[in-house]
Amino acid sequence: MINIPKGTKDVLPGESHKWQYAEGKLRKVAALYNAREIRTPTFEHTELFVRSIGDETDVVSKEMYTFEDKGGRSITLRPEGTAPVARSYVENALDSLSLPLKTYYLISAFRYERPQAGRLREFHQFGVEIYGATSPYLDLDCISFAYDALRALGLDNVRLKLNSIGCSDCRKKYVEALRTYFADHLEDMCGTCKERYGRNALRLLDCKNPECKKIAEGAPVILDYLCDDCKAHHEKLCGLLDASGIPYEVDAGIVRGLDYYTRTVFEFVTDELGAQGTVLGGGRYDDLVQSIGGKPTGCVGFAMGMERALMLMEKHGVDFGRTGIDVFVISQSPELEGACMAIVSDLRKEGISADTEMTGRSMKAQFKYADKQNAAYAVVIGGNELETQRVKIKRLSDGKEEECGMNEIAARIKEN
Ligand code: HAM
């Protein structure tokens, strides 16, 4: 037997309706926010991710699925959606459309991480990217989009944590302060942190090594190093959030693990999923478009981890809706299966989901099968029914029967 690769999952027929339910809800929220879907390829040139996410991040330095294709190009399976959408925005000159432009996507993404509950190597994201404005109102719109998306899934007790990591100017001063702080602790830190110290000291803040984590807790916080403009942006956003009634908590520890962020960063977190408690993360990234060849463009976005959202929905007992068919046509004997298939075919043409027996099983076995298929009704077809063109429709939930003409089955089911 060939097994599924580590860190990946099948979505089986018995659970795909849960994904469809969640995706349907998210698409509806996207429409409410005037966002249009964007679809980009599953793989991109490696350079795109190195340049945008940053080569000192865990994602780029340790977790990417990178390979050389047959033409000798370095290709990477997307570890996230922001960089590909930014690439598409620049390449297709989407700034020529009226701005702000709001996009969303439902994608699979790939990171070579140590798999555990809520952490996979192939996972799925619902993401949103908004282009073309630096106004804090856009940050508010984006956070409110994320908030409503979670609520639409029935997840109303996921907490919002907010921070600002400033612009490249304030970051310079902050990184100097971090270097001074970490210089005294460097010998107790892991090899990766020692290497990153000189190249990207900010990344020392998201090392997962327990010893490094403890040291990072005492590090200076970026909020104390914000320039006047970044500070004003952050304060304005906090005021807007207060007025909108979206609860949040400013948490200076939120720095995000990707290099492209500027100013606003945020996460929606829960304690109910163990170590993988971040259900959704995002922020502003005003320098990204320019860094990959476009014009300076204010951007803000987020991505929700679908597996984590679904795990939480299960925990909260969200009702994913009924799956199953409207009617199962039971054949009284194997030679009537052809006639039953003709009836089923007519029902389907009228928009009734229907199925019938094709393998010659007993009526008892067919009723059992109809139950397993979650059929709402069963109709038994025998010689008598074919002759009189009258049938009994049986509601399987309570056994209630109703008689009607053969050509009225669809209308009767639609009435109920
Ligand atoms: P991220 O924080 O790397 O941000 O991922 C967003 C969400 O994807 C996480 O909060 C988590 O729920 C889920 N996720 C990430 N890695 C895994 C994994 N290995 N297994 C399962 N779920 C995972 C981004 O990806 C940014 N592109 C978000 C963004 C959009 N920022 C601006 N626009």
Side-chain angles (χ1 to χ4, degrees), residues 363-376:
M363 281 180 55
K364 190 173 166 216
Q366 290 180 56
F367 268 110
K368 214 164 154 192
Y369 180 76
D371 229 28
K372 283 246 166 73
Q373 301 311 301
N374 226 346

Side-chain angles (χ1 to χ4, degrees), residues 325-329 337-338 340-358 369 373 406 409-411 413-414:
I325 49 172
D326 296 320
V327 57
F328 192 85
V329 174
E337 284 176 9
C340 290
M341 287 188 81
I343 295 168
V344 157
S345 163
D346 285 345
L347 288 169
R348 290 172 183 159
K349 281 187 193 118
E350 296 197 55
I352 297 290
S353 55
D355 215 342
T356 188
E357 180 58 19
M358 291 167 240
Y369 180 76
Q373 301 311 301
M406 181 84 82
I409 304 174
I413 288 175
K414 280 181 192 167

Side-chain angles (χ1 to χ4, degrees), residues 23-48:
E23 289 165 2
K25 292 273 179 198
L26 294 170
R27 286 185 194 280
K28 276 195 185 136
V29 177
L32 292 176
Y33 275 79
N34 187 28
R36 304 265 181 92
E37 186 175 7
I38 181 162
R39 298 189 189 194
T40 61
T42 306
F43 56 84
E44 298 272 353
H45 292 294
T46 302
E47 177 63 15
L48 173 69

